[in-house]
Amino acid sequence: MTAPTQRAVLIRAYGGAAAAEIAGIARPTAAPGQVLVRVRAAGVNGIDWKVREGFVREAFPLQLPAVLGIELAGVVEEVGAGASRFRIGDRVMGPLGGLGAYADVVAVDEANLVRTPQGLDDVHAAAIPVAAVAGWQSLHHAGPIAAGQRILIHGAAGGLGGYAVQYARQAGAEVFATASTAHVDYVRSLGADHVIDYQNERFESVAQDIDLVLDYVGGEVLDRSWQVLAKNGAIVGTTSPDILARTPSGRRGLWFMNKPDAALLERLVAEVAQGTLVSKLGEAVGFDDIPAAIERNRTDPRIGKVVADFSR
């Protein structure tokens, strides 16, 4: 008797857009402390194409083939031994703490998940877990945030940057943010004090004496950001695993990796459900469009998060 199979988006080798493919894999079983989740939606993230291309293979060593995807929303179908937080039929959401969300049924450590609030549909729920928590954690990664600090956020219109702008504003910081021309008004609506249209103006001409740079873009943006730092300022990077090697002498550069935090996620999701925290869904795509959506994340950044709706 053959094992039941299910859809998944996976890579068999590192590569470009064609490396991510839709294939059939075996349905998992729940290990102790895990639940099986029937995935209804999964968020698309920049880490998907970075893993696909092998850019972060040292930070995320993989055994190939590997299923992509790092966050989901769905329904509990099975409860593993020792798992007690959820019951079959519960709607849940959260990060995996690793890869594998782009599959119909996924085994997840129950400690990573929270209940999906009533009134929040699965597609919108799947847009929240990684970006909301990573935005908070990366903002505080270099140390406590104090009112009046000057913070520069690169990639402020994206899922991660949009949360960081709001958190920094709530903390009383003076918020500088970079965005494309089309996204300037959106970023300003989130509470940024100074929105820099990077297509028409260099951020160095506006942002100076910055206490903290949150770099969600990488590349030459990181290299140009050292000159805007205050003497004791820091850059926290989420897209440049080699940031330590690229940190000039006497400067402070920190590499950030998101860690699941269910208690923090539960608080932030409640704020989204109450309307006090904006979570922006940029686009919903069907399951078959996930490989193309991963590539678009690399080539065409947009407002908010892209989410795969498994019912489409």
Side-chain angles (χ1 to χ4, degrees):
M1 183 177 178
T2 59
T5 60
Q6 59 175 353
R7 299 176 301 174
V9 176
L10 53 78
I11 58 170
R12 303 182 193 275
Y14 296 117
E21 63 177 276
I22 297 172
I25 64 170
R27 177 187 168 99
T29 57
Q34 292 187 326
V35 294
L36 286 190
V37 178
R38 169 68 62 176
V39 183
R40 289 181 171 172
V44 177
N45 292 276
I47 193 67
D48 294 333
W49 65 263
K50 294 181 179 72
V51 168
R52 184 197 70 193
E53 299 204 0
F55 287 159
V56 290
R57 68 180 73 187
E58 293 183 4
F60 296 96
L62 298 180
Q63 181 176 351
L64 301 177
V67 177
L68 300 176
I70 60 173
E71 64 185 333
L72 55 77
V75 179
V76 174
E77 282 201 347
E78 181 182 318
V79 178
S84 59
R85 295 183 59 222
F86 305 106
R87 296 181 179 180
I88 294 173
D90 283 350
R91 294 178 61 230
V92 294
M93 56 186 288
L96 268 63
L99 299 177
Y102 296 147
D104 285 315
V105 179
V106 177
V108 188
D109 291 345
E110 69 162 4
N112 293 345
L113 299 172
V114 301
R115 284 180 172 79
T116 304
Q118 289 186 351
L120 186 64
D121 66 70
D122 295 304
V123 171
H124 284 82
I128 299 171
V130 168
V133 170
W136 179 271
Q137 291 178 340
S138 59
L139 176 65
H140 295 85
H141 190 60
I145 302 301
Q149 280 187 310
R150 294 161 66 88
I151 297 176
L152 171 61
I153 300 170
H154 292 306
L160 187 53
Y163 285 112
V165 168
Q166 294 177 81
Y167 300 149
R169 181 65 174 176
Q170 290 170 358
E174 183 177 1
V175 182
F176 296 75
T178 61
S180 67
T181 306
H183 301 158
V184 165
D185 289 343
Y186 167 68
V187 174
R188 187 174 290 117
S189 76
L190 296 177
D193 299 288
H194 314 278
V195 185
I196 304 163
D197 175 358
Y198 66 77
Q199 292 176 307
N200 291 294
E201 189 173 24
R202 292 180 69 85
F203 64 82
E204 302 95 319
S205 66
V206 178
Q208 293 293 329
D209 297 317
I210 300 297
D211 298 297
L212 174 66
V213 174
L214 297 178
D215 177 27
Y216 303 136
V217 176
E220 54 95 20
V221 169
L222 170 61
D223 297 327
R224 291 165 51 199
S225 294
W226 301 109
Q227 62 188 285
V228 307
L229 280 183
K231 181 179 179 181
N232 295 317
I235 297 180
V236 172
T238 66
T239 62
S240 306
D242 60 345
I243 186 172
L244 298 183
R246 294 166 64 182
T247 300
S249 177
R251 291 299 194 177
R252 187 180 180 208
L254 301 171
W255 166 238
F256 170 80
M257 291 176 59
N258 183 47
K259 297 179 180 179
D261 185 334
L264 175 59
L265 175 59
E266 191 168 39
R267 176 171 70 80
L268 298 175
V269 169
E271 291 185 23
V272 172
Q274 294 162 6
T276 57
L277 182 64
V278 175
S279 174
K280 181 69 173 179
L281 177 65
E283 180 187 13
V285 302
F287 187 94
D288 290 346
D289 194 38
I290 292 175
I294 292 172
E295 179 64 6
R296 288 197 299 273
N297 183 281
R298 184 183 74 84
T299 61
D300 185 25
R302 62 194 63 204
I303 288 178
K305 283 291 292 287
V306 175
V307 172
D309 180 349
F310 282 34
S311 69
R312 294 174 55 176

